[in-house]
Amino acid sequence: MSPSDGTRPAPSASATGAAGNSSPPPASSPPPVRLEFGDAEHVLRVEPWGADSVRVRAARHRVRDDLPGALTAPPAAAAAESTEGPDGSRILTVGRLRVELSPRGLLRFVRTQDGIELLRESVGHFAWPGARQFTPVGEGGYRLDQRFAAYEGERFFGLGQHSHGRLDHKHMVIDLVQRNGEVTIPFTLSSRGYGLLWNLPAVGRVELAAGQTRWVADAADQIDYWVTTGPTPGAIMSNYADATGHAPLLPERFLGLWQSRLRYRTQEELLDVAREYRRRGLPLSVIAVDYFHWPHLGDWCFDAADWPDPAGMVAELESMGVRPLVSVWPSVSVLSENYAPMRDERLLLRTEQGQPFQHVFPDSQVDHKSLPVVFYDPTDERAREYLWSRVKRNYYDLGFRLWWLDACEPEMYPEQCGNLRYAAGPGRAVANLYPREHVRGFYEHMRAEGVDVPVSLVRSAWAGSQAYAAALWSGDIPATFEALAVQVRAGLSAGLSGIPWWTTDIGGFHGGDPDDPGYRELLIRWFQFAVFCPLLRMHGYREPRDAFAAGRNGGPNELWSYGQEAYGILTRQLRLRQDLRPYLHQQMASAAERGAPVIRPLFFDFPDDPAAWTVEDQFLCGPDLLISPVTRLGERRRRVHLPAGADWVDPATGTVHDGDRTVTADAPLERIPVFLRHGSTLDVRFPG
């Protein structure tokens, strides 16, 4: 079954949750244009997979079409040509991309218009049979090792969202595993003009070393990767969206402020906050019902003692133009009413051996003692259906339409992928699918209920999550200026991984004293950055941090919680956000149509400016706004690179600057440096 809007063909209906499966052509069809190779070690297949793109699969015995992955069916019939080279090589040409298969079975990827080598497979050692290794790990699976050549000056972008604080991942080793704040999306955009998707949900790593690039899967059946090229980074991202699914168009109503804190403990407490926003005349789009609103984790319903009339709450919020966001976790406590039936129907993640539980978590009904919990298995269609039946009865039928899919990595301690068994396969082979299949369940069931664009706030994602209306946030991060600087890179990386809807906890999650002047400055600078992000979201676990004692729920975190000076600055920034909403909605349309990130590095629009490829602490919001966040305490001026290829207007002074230069811009506490592309029709009044 496919989503009715056609944004992304759904994975097959089997329990594997597999996507990207291609059916063999009918017997009467002409033979497909592709490259094939076989030797004593393995077999190889290279075939067109969209405009300027190919899919490469290699297996020990035979290439399979029924394994989980991110690729949909080929996005469009690509004109392809197969020829032979003078050295015995075979050549497959797909638009701008030429693939050369050597007699030894090595692949080389070339840009057709100028013959420049984009990428080539590389042998790790002269005694090895090739660039690919298959080491048996039991159950018919293999530890897979795929190597490529390294190039001087190459830069790698994307690869999900990480906390190491860099935009360019060259010389890094990136774990391919989902963790809180570490989002694995195995797609990278190279400065050499290609994109590569490692089309395996297996746990592993990518090593972007000086001597070689190496992709490793701890356990999988076959190597599977996809390569594309294009004249610009935008064209590469468009091809990637075609191959893995386009994000829907985010409804404009979600572009305002999302209000949250650790939790609002009761229905009345939450309503009082929404009423205060209205009394003050501050526009509010969303307010969050966070965790512990349930009796037990995995009940997926409200505790009637603190939330006596959820339907009435929804109605009052809607009358104020506010949408409620409710937290739904994938965890099931042993005390939950759903634990036994889900266990008996085998809808929970199973273990290969040892302890059947994957985590412990406090239970509000047992003095917040930590109890064992297990996670449901979203790679099983039956489990997704079961979860939705509870969500529909206890939330959807009461008026809720917006989901906060927290802890959806899923978060478990210790990591035990090798001890897990999913419906889709062994844990090491499929674990990274979890967040995508989880959000998929909500998307597909909401669509079946007639909701045009379901929206889910998620803490983790995988390749293709964007097609299921996933809005990613950056997890439980520190409340420090250093963390703010990391978030700039994290958001840009997420966009270059195909996830255009992105946000962060303004002010950081862990800590922050509303009465501390230094923290107030941090919150202001964070908010000024977030005004230009796809989603604008206040959240955090503020001081006092005794959330589980005496019914406390963390310190205050509303705009008026940080003193009069901060309140004045934040409200002016919120009005700026309101003015920007039509422009941001245009960028959401571009993301939906072409896969263009809403916030993106300077090189995305100015690839011919060499300096634009090195700037990591500025970004473009759409094509017309150049944003320079302030990420240091006390900083009141900062250097700003103005990309070559446009002139830039400082709206604070009206000065027009030539591009291809660096200026020093004022950054008073009231604002961060923002430059407008000269000639833009954007009509917004920026705070002075």
Side-chain angles (χ1 to χ4, degrees):
M1 181 178 67
S2 299
S4 57
D5 66 352
T7 55
R8 171 186 169 87
S12 66
S14 70
T16 65
N21 304 326
S22 57
S23 300
S28 59
S29 299
V33 178
R34 64 193 188 194
L35 301 177
E36 293 185 324
F37 174 85
D39 61 15
E41 294 293 324
H42 71 300
V43 295
L44 172 73
R45 180 189 299 171
V46 184
E47 56 197 316
W49 210 271
D52 310 320
S53 308
V54 296
R55 183 181 186 182
V56 179
R57 283 179 284 182
R60 178 69 88 188
H61 301 293
R62 65 182 180 89
V63 171
R64 293 176 56 182
D65 294 321
D66 61 344
L67 297 174
L71 294 174
T72 66
E81 179 184 17
S82 180
T83 58
E84 293 190 7
D87 58 352
S89 64
R90 284 171 284 163
I91 300 170
L92 175 66
T93 302
V94 186
R96 295 180 176 89
L97 182 63
R98 184 170 82 239
V99 186
E100 301 171 356
L101 173 62
S102 78
R104 189 179 173 186
L106 295 176
L107 295 174
R108 180 172 178 261
F109 303 86
V110 177
R111 192 163 54 200
T112 57
Q113 60 266 43
D114 53 19
I116 290 178
E117 179 178 288
L118 299 171
L119 176 69
R120 61 180 166 85
E121 294 183 323
S122 175
V123 178
H125 187 271
F126 68 85
W128 291 0
R132 313 170 200 104
Q133 285 187 294
F134 300 80
T135 304
V137 293
E139 297 185 326
Y142 301 90
R143 179 184 180 276
L144 303 177
D145 188 317
Q146 171 71 59
R147 296 174 185 248
F148 298 98
Y151 301 89
E152 185 70 27
E154 183 172 16
R155 299 174 181 273
F156 292 100
F157 304 95
L159 290 173
Q161 171 195 277
H162 299 283
S163 59
H164 55 57
R166 290 180 51 178
L167 182 63
D168 173 15
H169 301 290
K170 181 66 174 177
H171 304 299
M172 304 290 290
V173 175
I174 306 295
D175 288 341
L176 301 179
V177 65
Q178 310 290 12
R179 298 178 178 130
N180 185 349
E182 300 285 330
V183 178
T184 283
I185 300 174
F187 172 76
T188 184
L189 187 152
S190 166
S191 60
R192 292 179 64 81
Y194 69 88
L196 187 146
L197 169 69
W198 182 244
N199 188 39
L200 295 172
V203 173
R205 66 185 184 276
V206 56
E207 303 169 1
L208 304 167
Q212 276 190 329
T213 294
R214 182 186 189 200
W215 293 83
V216 176
D218 288 348
D221 288 274
Q222 65 188 18
I223 289 170
D224 189 346
Y225 65 92
W226 175 85
V227 176
T228 190
T229 190
T232 64
I236 292 171
M237 294 305 301
S238 181
N239 289 346
Y240 177 71
D242 288 345
T244 61
H246 287 252
L249 174 58
L250 181 72
E252 194 273 341
R253 62 182 175 273
F254 296 125
L255 290 175
L257 177 64
W258 295 37
Q259 175 59 51
S260 179
R261 67 185 189 197
L262 180 69
R263 65 169 175 151
Y264 296 112
R265 191 173 61 83
T266 68
Q267 174 179 319
E268 195 61 23
E269 184 178 9
L270 182 146
L271 284 171
D272 283 345
V273 171
R275 293 164 185 155
E276 183 65 14
Y277 268 97
R278 186 179 188 185
R279 187 189 72 79
R280 292 171 179 260
L282 300 176
L284 184 63
S285 289
V286 174
I287 193 167
V289 181
D290 204 344
Y291 67 171
F292 288 120
H293 69 263
W294 47 68
H296 301 292
L297 192 62
D299 283 344
W300 300 309
C301 66
F302 283 99
D303 184 339
D306 290 331
W307 306 86
D309 183 17
M313 178 183 70
V314 171
E316 181 175 346
L317 291 171
E318 292 282 355
S319 73
M320 294 186 279
V322 180
R323 284 82 181 174
L325 170 74
V326 65
S327 180
V328 180
W329 288 46
S331 325
V332 184
S333 167
V334 293
L335 297 184
S336 169
E337 63 182 12
N338 292 307
Y339 172 71
M342 296 188 79
R343 176 200 61 200
D344 295 345
E345 291 297 320
R346 300 173 70 82
L347 304 179
L348 303 171
L349 289 187
R350 290 167 283 145
T351 56
E352 301 286 10
Q353 58 185 355
Q355 175 60 258
F357 306 111
Q358 286 103 41
H359 200 10
V360 294
F361 203 76
D363 191 294
S364 59
Q365 303 296 313
V366 194
D367 297 326
H368 290 98
K369 292 182 180 178
S370 291
L371 297 174
V373 298
V374 68
F375 297 92
Y376 96 112
D377 183 358
T379 72
D380 189 331
E381 184 178 20
R382 299 175 307 125
R384 297 195 300 269
E385 177 66 36
Y386 184 98
L387 173 57
W388 176 253
S389 70
R390 272 57 184 172
V391 169
K392 183 179 186 305
R393 180 182 66 198
N394 298 322
Y395 300 121
Y396 183 90
D397 289 348
L398 301 178
F400 289 87
R401 298 293 184 269
L402 191 58
W403 316 110
W404 185 354
L405 306 185
D406 205 344
C408 64
E409 298 81 17
E411 185 173 46
M412 58 182 69
Y413 299 108
E415 287 180 4
Q416 49 182 296
C417 296
N419 189 36
L420 295 181
R421 171 65 62 166
Y422 294 71
R428 286 185 298 172
V430 302
N432 287 325
L433 277 177
Y434 197 105
R436 193 198 69 187
E437 295 303 280
H438 185 39
V439 72
R440 171 192 171 190
F442 281 79
Y443 179 86
E444 291 182 345
H445 285 103
M446 287 279 282
R447 288 302 305 268
E449 295 290 339
V451 177
D452 287 339
V453 183
V455 176
S456 298
L457 182 66
V458 301
R459 200 172 75 182
S460 191
W462 195 63
S465 287
Q466 72 278 356
Y468 296 126
L472 177 65
W473 100 94
S474 55
D476 297 346
I477 53 179
T480 64
F481 272 99
E482 292 79 9
L484 171 57
V486 168
Q487 295 313 295
V488 177
R489 282 83 166 174
L492 298 178
S493 292
L496 292 177
S497 305
I499 308 290
W501 305 356
W502 182 85
T503 185
T504 182
D505 292 353
I506 293 175
F509 177 75
H510 288 294
D513 183 351
D515 294 326
D516 175 25
Y519 182 72
R520 289 179 176 181
E521 181 169 333
L522 171 63
L523 185 96
I524 289 169
R525 292 308 199 190
W526 210 308
F527 197 96
Q528 290 166 341
F529 156 63
V531 161
F532 299 96
C533 290
L535 297 178
L536 178 71
R537 177 171 169 269
M538 290 283 286
H539 185 57
Y541 185 6
R542 303 289 170 253
E543 303 294 346
R545 287 166 51 90
D546 52 350
F548 302 141
R552 297 295 294 270
N553 53 6
N557 190 46
E558 293 71 42
L559 295 192
W560 53 84
S561 304
Y562 296 92
Q564 283 303 308
E565 181 185 28
Y567 179 69
I569 294 171
L570 295 175
T571 54
R572 288 191 292 274
Q573 289 292 316
L574 181 58
R575 294 188 185 99
L576 170 60
R577 175 70 175 204
Q578 290 295 104
D579 290 346
L580 286 169
R581 284 174 65 161
Y583 174 76
L584 290 170
H585 201 238
Q586 292 174 5
Q587 308 319 310
M588 291 296 179
S590 179
E593 294 165 9
R594 299 186 293 277
V598 176
I599 58 172
R600 59 260 205 153
L602 307 191
F603 69 75
F604 190 88
D605 291 80
F606 300 95
D608 295 329
D609 179 359
W613 291 87
T614 67
V615 175
E616 297 199 350
D617 62 348
Q618 301 172 223
F619 63 92
L620 294 164
C621 174
D624 292 341
L625 289 172
L626 176 62
I627 314 302
S628 302
V630 173
T631 59
R632 295 183 182 88
L633 179 66
E635 187 172 47
R636 296 296 182 265
R637 305 188 80 196
R638 64 151 293 171
R639 292 172 63 79
V640 176
H641 176 70
L642 304 176
D647 295 333
W648 300 92
V649 181
D650 182 348
T653 64
T655 304
V656 179
H657 298 275
D658 296 335
D660 196 20
R661 61 181 302 196
T662 298
V663 299
T664 299
D666 290 334
L669 185 61
E670 292 75 19
R671 59 178 171 84
I672 58 175
V674 175
F675 287 82
L676 183 66
R677 187 196 289 250
H678 189 243
S680 168
T681 59
L682 178 61
D683 184 17
V684 173
R685 182 181 179 87
F686 292 89

